Amino acid sequence: NAGVTQTPKFQVLKTGQSMTLQCAQDMNHNSMYWYRQDPGMGLRLIYYSASEGTTDKGEVPNGYNVSRLNKREFSLRLESAAPSQTSVYFCASIGGTANTGELFFGEGSRLTVL
Amino acid sequence: AQTVTQSQPEMSVQEAETVTLSCTYDTSESDYYLFWYKQPPSRQMILVIRQEAYKQQNATENRFSVNFQKAAKSFSLKISDSQLGDAAMYFCAYRRPGTYKYIFGTGTRLKVLA
């Protein structure tokens, strides 16, 4: 049972480079999320997708774009990476009923921007 | 806007002892959900326990229990008989029913001493 799978797990970029973080879930969940985790700041929502075909901004969307490719996949793109985007990124999806919604997380992707 | 506060950046507990992690939140809603998530050093976050605000009874899951004080807007996590495997970062989170957004606290790092 794979759950939520993120790739890559580690990436080093130079300022200005672009990259895409991939996320896929095999639990038939409707809603998917991208968070970033920084020391002392907890998890902050970048973007989320309530259902296939929809995406919405979270708390910190600047510098990012997302694509909900299908029900399984939700990718996060950095068009022009900046050192401030050095972080650990987590993809998550909602399981259970729509009202309680336990979040299932991927293992995270550590991104360093030099 | 809703906020979640974890005032203890780090806690330590002796193996087999009991520890309580604090969480307070601010909301004007009467119906909501509260969660505690555990992030072990391997980084994948998992749900520890969930509490529905309309339920008076405190949730329990084996050695994990909560003290939910709705009027005080407090949601603490008690870990009994602490084990080395409990060492992790613990996040408190809030979610309003019918929405897709979670609000996370900044986390408490728990160390378990042998």
Side-chain angles (χ1 to χ4, degrees), chain A residues 31 33 35 37 40 42-43 48 88 90 98-103 105 107, chain B residues 33 35 37 39 43-45 47 50 52 91 95 100-102 104-106:
Chain A
S31 302
Y33 302 76
Y35 289 92
Q37 183 181 19
L43 278 83
Y48 70 101
V88 181
F90 287 94
N99 280 336
T100 59
E102 172 188 350
L103 273 174
F105 286 87
E107 293 186 358
Chain B
Y33 298 94
F35 306 84
Y37 282 89
Q39 186 182 39
R43 296 187 299 162
Q44 189 162 23
M45 210 163 326
L47 178 69
R50 172 177 57 216
E52 290 90 343
F91 290 95
R95 181 189 178 196
Y100 296 94
K101 292 185 180 180
Y102 291 74
F104 285 85
T106 52

Side-chain angles (χ1 to χ4, degrees), chain A residues 4 27 29 31 33 35 37 42-43 90-106, chain B residues 4 6 8 21-23 33-41 43-51 61 64-66 75-79 85-96 99-110:
Chain A
V4 179
M27 296 173 284
H29 291 166
S31 302
Y33 302 76
Y35 289 92
Q37 183 181 19
L43 278 83
F90 287 94
C91 179
S93 65
I94 289 183
T97 67
N99 280 336
T100 59
E102 172 188 350
L103 273 174
F104 287 81
F105 286 87
Chain B
V4 175
Q6 293 179 252
Q8 306 153 317
L21 308 184
S22 301
C23 173
Y33 298 94
L34 297 167
F35 306 84
W36 278 100
Y37 282 89
K38 172 184 177 182
Q39 186 182 39
R43 296 187 299 162
Q44 189 162 23
M45 210 163 326
I46 56 174
L47 178 69
V48 174
I49 200 163
R50 172 177 57 216
Q51 175 81 42
E61 288 288 341
F64 297 87
S65 61
V66 298
F75 182 60
S76 60
L77 175 70
K78 185 171 83 170
I79 306 174
D86 294 334
M89 183 74 86
Y90 288 82
F91 290 95
C92 179
Y94 165 100
R95 181 189 178 196
R96 186 160 57 90
T99 70
Y100 296 94
K101 292 185 180 180
Y102 291 74
I103 300 169
F104 285 85
T106 52
T108 296
R109 183 173 300 282
L110 178 66

Side-chain angles (χ1 to χ4, degrees), chain B residues 1-28:
Chain B
Q2 294 89 359
T3 59
V4 175
T5 301
Q6 293 179 252
S7 58
Q8 306 153 317
E10 192 169 292
M11 295 277 288
S12 294
V13 62
Q14 206 70 35
E15 199 175 2
E17 297 293 310
T18 296
V19 65
T20 298
L21 308 184
S22 301
C23 173
T24 59
Y25 58 93
D26 186 25
T27 183
S28 58

